[in-house]
Amino acid sequence: MTLNPAGALDIDPLLDDPATRIVVCCGSGGVGKTTTAAALGLRAAERGRKVVVLTIDPARRLAQSMGIDSLDNVPRRVKGVEATGDAAGGELHAMMLDMKRTFDEIVEAHADGERAEAILNNPFYQSLSAGFAGTQEYMAMEKLGQLRARDTWDLIVVDTPPSRSALDFLDAPKRLGSFLDGKLIRVLMAPAKVGGRAGMKFLNVGMSMMTGALGKLLGGQLLRDVQTFVAAMDTMFGGFRTRADATYKLLQAPGTAFLVVAAPERDALREAAYFVERLAAERMPLAGLVLNRVHGSGADRLSAERALAAAENLDERGIVDQAPGKEEVRTPSDPASGSPAAAETPAQPSTEQLTAGLLRLHAERMRLVAREQRTRDRFTALHPEVAVAEIAALPGDVHDLAGLRDIGDRLAAGGTPAGAE
């Protein structure tokens, strides 16, 4: 797999390359990762590859745009993929991560029936699997590892969780590992490891003070739930770390490509720069940056300054050359019928006023374009080695396959500047 080292990001060779098996779309929340991932998956499928898109977007926009009633933890085939000729074998499947169900599957796969039931029914596990910080990101990596192990798909496109920070996706396995290796967990696990009378003696003597303190802090029942959970999960802790390490190595492999998705805004591009640097430090293959929702203008030769000056001239001309007002014509009330007088006709804006308003709107757009260009230039100056594709801002949301196909076309032509409004 060859990644373009700089300049314009060439999407089609990346998607067509049979060596590309995983594309990970990363970025901070709200920058369009879900739409980008879906558009990439559709384009790859219509170019002949068997693709699954894994989304972690709770808004379920992906399902709606693909014409599926709902997505769940099982890949579902998307109808309407237009693969023809040599690409006729292409397929698109989509799924949405069910965080808790994925955690349950891990338990069921790595614990015997009795132990698995004890874990699944444990209140502390139920809370942990549904909302522990970093669980969603960790489970996304677990599911990615499961999909890749099946070797069913030519290409897996991953839409990473809508985290505050893009780095959460890479940090989640380490955070969960730190939790499982933490002092509290080790202490709570000790009685189960010692066993028998020695274990009970340790629990009664060594744990009595801590149990009293934690019982007051957490509640006695919660503490007992935690201890029961830890005892049941003891044999699985090593498996979590082993699989996390394996998936991390998978992300470093040559068949993986990261696409950082960002909006042309200061905070989003700062986050993108952090992520680019982190990928380089972790030796993970970066394909490039997708700069989404870039604004442009079909009249960019008219600068903001000239537009404002023209608007002011029109305003002044309107004041000086104002046409003489007409005496208002009123229809008097009919005393017999009691009908009211006709309402006054509101004054219509003149051609000069409308033109001045449009000129001011254009000036605002040109200032926005200039601000986005400065932000892009700062990123490019820091990371000239990163290939970039730009997608022009659209007037509305993408809500069907035609819209995703349009995004894919724009991505493929993304080396050119944003077009007209």
Side-chain angles (χ1 to χ4, degrees):
M1 179 177 62
T2 302
L3 302 183
N4 190 357
L9 174 60
D10 206 351
I11 287 292
D12 285 344
L14 176 69
L15 298 179
D16 294 344
D17 190 344
T20 305
R21 303 300 302 276
I22 297 172
V23 172
V24 183
C25 296
C26 292
S28 54
V31 295
K33 294 192 302 291
T34 300
T35 302
T36 300
L40 289 169
L42 177 61
R43 189 169 185 84
E46 294 189 333
R47 296 176 72 85
R49 305 197 72 184
K50 188 175 182 180
V51 185
V52 60
V53 177
L54 169 62
T55 184
I56 303 94
D57 182 7
R60 290 174 170 78
R61 291 193 308 270
L62 181 62
Q64 296 169 0
S65 66
M66 292 183 171
I68 299 175
D69 291 337
S70 63
L71 293 180
D72 53 25
N73 224 32
V74 178
R76 298 185 181 277
R77 187 165 181 175
V78 177
K79 299 178 181 178
V81 174
E82 300 175 359
T84 59
D86 294 339
E91 295 179 10
L92 178 61
H93 299 248
M95 61 184 297
M96 186 173 73
L97 178 74
D98 184 329
M99 180 177 65
K100 188 178 187 312
R101 182 61 209 147
T102 301
F103 211 148
D104 292 349
E105 289 172 356
I106 297 169
V107 173
E108 293 166 351
H110 296 89
D112 58 49
E114 184 177 348
R115 185 181 293 262
E117 184 177 0
I119 295 171
L120 295 175
N121 293 330
N122 183 274
F124 181 74
Y125 165 79
Q126 292 172 358
S127 176
L128 173 70
S129 61
F132 182 74
T135 304
Q136 188 178 52
E137 289 84 359
Y138 177 84
M139 291 305 151
M141 295 187 74
E142 278 276 356
K143 183 57 68 175
L144 170 60
Q146 292 175 10
L147 291 171
R148 185 65 184 88
R150 293 175 196 167
D151 204 26
T152 303
W153 318 99
D154 297 333
L155 178 65
I156 303 168
V157 182
V158 182
D159 163 35
T160 55
S163 307
R164 181 193 61 79
S165 169
L167 298 177
D168 289 346
F169 180 68
L170 296 180
D171 289 334
K174 293 180 180 179
R175 288 207 308 273
L176 189 60
S178 298
F179 168 74
L180 297 177
D181 284 332
K183 291 182 180 179
L184 174 60
I185 293 296
R186 291 204 306 270
V187 170
L188 291 173
M189 194 186 301
K193 286 187 173 181
V194 174
R197 294 181 178 178
M200 289 304 297
K201 183 178 180 181
F202 176 89
L203 180 62
N204 291 334
V205 178
M207 293 285 288
S208 59
M209 293 180 62
M210 189 185 75
T211 300
L214 288 175
K216 292 178 182 179
L217 179 64
L218 303 176
Q221 183 59 48
L222 176 58
L223 182 58
R224 287 190 292 274
D225 291 339
V226 172
Q227 290 170 338
T228 304
F229 164 77
V230 168
M233 289 284 285
D234 182 15
T235 58
M236 293 184 56
F237 284 168
F240 277 104
R241 286 185 292 273
T242 300
R243 287 191 304 280
D245 291 343
T247 305
Y248 214 75
K249 290 178 181 177
L250 180 64
L251 294 176
Q252 294 174 317
T256 298
F258 281 84
L259 284 174
V260 179
V261 184
E265 301 166 359
R266 184 180 60 182
D267 291 343
L269 277 174
R270 182 187 297 120
E271 184 81 16
Y274 291 152
F275 200 81
V276 166
E277 292 162 8
R278 173 67 181 276
L279 290 174
E282 300 286 345
R283 301 194 307 275
M284 292 184 175
L286 172 65
L289 170 73
V290 174
L291 201 57
N292 198 19
R293 302 169 187 159
V294 177
H295 292 89
S297 173
D300 53 7
R301 286 180 295 178
L302 178 60
S303 68
E305 291 75 14
R306 289 178 60 195
L308 285 175
E312 290 173 1
N313 286 338
L314 286 171
D315 286 341
E316 292 174 0
R317 178 181 172 187
I319 294 172
V320 174
D321 300 335
Q322 187 174 18
K326 294 183 180 180
E327 187 174 340
E328 295 175 351
V329 178
R330 297 177 180 271
T331 302
S333 301
D334 184 351
S337 64
S339 59
E344 297 179 15
T345 302
Q348 296 297 318
S350 66
T351 301
E352 288 82 0
Q353 289 173 321
L354 290 173
T355 304
L358 289 174
L359 286 167
R360 287 192 171 87
L361 286 175
H362 175 75
E364 290 178 10
R365 171 55 66 93
M366 293 308 298
R367 285 171 173 168
L368 174 62
V369 170
R371 185 166 64 250
E372 290 181 353
Q373 184 64 55
R374 289 193 299 271
T375 306
R376 289 200 301 277
D377 290 346
R378 281 196 293 269
F379 177 89
T380 303
L382 286 172
H383 298 285
E385 77 285 0
V386 178
V388 180
E390 294 183 2
I391 306 177
L394 300 178
D397 292 333
V398 175
H399 53 80
D400 55 19
L401 288 180
L404 292 176
R405 202 170 284 122
D406 179 45
I407 292 293
D409 291 341
R410 291 168 183 262
L411 268 170
T416 57
E421 299 172 28

